[in-house]
Amino acid sequence: MSRRAWSLIAALMVSIIYGVSFTIAKDVMPTYVKPYGFILLRVIGATILFWAVSFFGPKEKIQLNDFPRIIAAAFFGVALNMLTFFKGLNYTSPISASVIMVTTPIIVMILSAILIREKVKPRKVLGILIGLFGAGFLILYGRSIGNATNATWGNLLVFINAVSYAFYLIVVKKLMDKYNAFTFVKWIYTFGLLMVLPFGWSECQQIQWGIIPFDILWAIGFVIVFTTFLTYLFNLVSMRELKPTTVAVFIYLQPLIATLYAIVLGKDALTTVKIISAVLIFAGVYLVTQKVKTDS
């Protein structure tokens, strides 16, 4: 099998893992572990794994003037990103959360135009407006069955998470160009751990491990090992051979996977609002990412 084929499989695996994670994480919260306590568990576990793997990677030294960028990446990519997402998922449904996350490429386009002066064509502006309208429609009018106790607030928090992750992608770009990923990702998670510790410590202490069923323990382990650690490794494999625009396309599979998984388990249901929002978001993302066929 070619390296490109392996890269495509790796990108697909990332979407599958993220897609099912929306529902798996929802099973844990808030009955067994509260959102911020769950985040602290996730960051602690991932930090340990990234430090362990880094000992087998290249020996590079990070320059002191790059640490402010690492700290910013930790804030946007770990702290604000995870705190808003898990809290939002605690209030909304897996389908709503996954559809809103598809706006990330659109938000990246907006921030790139503002922060790094990337030229945005009229077609992309139209895509941005359509996609954001779809996300706003879902945030304002989306309602869900199951444990969606406050869908509007939860959807808004997930949207903030998408914006935060878009900032992270821009901030971390220069680090990826300068260092091997394993050189700096351990530091990103280390600083991220310090940032989420005050929020998650109290909820983490409240966890009653003795009464947690095995399937919930498995779900916690899945989020730590697969959703946090392995997805990053798979992304490294995919980005090695594929262009960013090609990798970004796979994020559009996440709502489909999340929807199918949640519906099969009877944990969510499709509504007219969700379908209309998804169509608008997909249309906007398509217009933003469409390119002349000269790349992979």
Side-chain angles (χ1 to χ4, degrees), residues 22 25-26 29 84-94 97 158:
F22 290 108
K26 185 77 173 178
M29 304 180 299
T84 52
F85 178 73
F86 270 53
K87 198 70 170 180
L89 187 60
N90 189 48
Y91 290 123
T92 190
S93 74
V158 175

Side-chain angles (χ1 to χ4, degrees), residues 177-246:
D177 293 339
K178 191 172 183 179
Y179 304 104
N180 181 281
F182 289 114
T183 302
F184 65 82
V185 70
K186 61 186 179 184
W187 288 107
I188 287 178
Y189 269 83
T190 299
F191 285 114
L193 175 59
L194 295 177
M195 294 176 187
V196 302
L197 187 61
F199 294 92
W201 180 249
S202 176
E203 292 187 359
C204 203
Q205 286 184 309
Q206 296 173 21
I207 300 174
Q208 297 181 332
W209 293 102
I211 65 171
I212 297 180
F214 177 78
D215 60 323
I216 299 301
L217 291 174
W218 179 90
I220 294 172
F222 181 93
V223 171
I224 294 173
V225 177
F226 286 83
T227 310
T228 311
F229 178 68
L230 284 183
T231 52
Y232 191 88
L233 297 183
F234 285 140
N235 266 325
L236 289 179
V237 173
S238 62
M239 287 188 293
R240 196 172 295 144
E241 293 293 327
L242 304 176
K243 292 187 177 182
T245 50
T246 305

Side-chain angles (χ1 to χ4, degrees), residues 29-132:
M29 304 180 299
T31 304
Y32 298 99
V33 182
K34 293 181 180 179
Y36 290 167
F38 198 5
I39 289 169
L40 183 56
L41 290 179
R42 179 180 179 181
V43 177
I44 289 174
T47 301
I48 293 172
L49 290 173
F50 282 127
W51 271 96
V53 172
S54 70
F55 290 110
F56 300 96
K59 308 303 178 185
E60 297 176 311
K61 186 176 181 180
I62 297 177
Q63 297 178 3
L64 286 178
N65 59 358
D66 285 323
F67 273 99
R69 183 174 292 272
I70 289 176
I71 293 173
F75 175 75
F76 289 114
V78 178
L80 183 61
N81 178 37
M82 292 188 183
L83 289 172
T84 52
F85 178 73
F86 270 53
K87 198 70 170 180
L89 187 60
N90 189 48
Y91 290 123
T92 190
S93 74
I95 293 178
S96 295
S98 60
V99 170
I100 292 172
M101 284 304 298
V102 182
T103 61
T104 299
I106 297 176
I107 299 168
V108 170
M109 183 67 65
I110 295 174
L111 294 179
S112 296
I114 296 174
L115 299 178
I116 60 179
R117 306 298 182 187
E118 181 177 316
K119 188 176 180 180
V120 180
K121 297 180 180 179
R123 169 177 52 79
K124 294 185 178 181
V125 173
L126 178 61
I128 288 170
L129 295 176
I130 293 174
L132 289 181

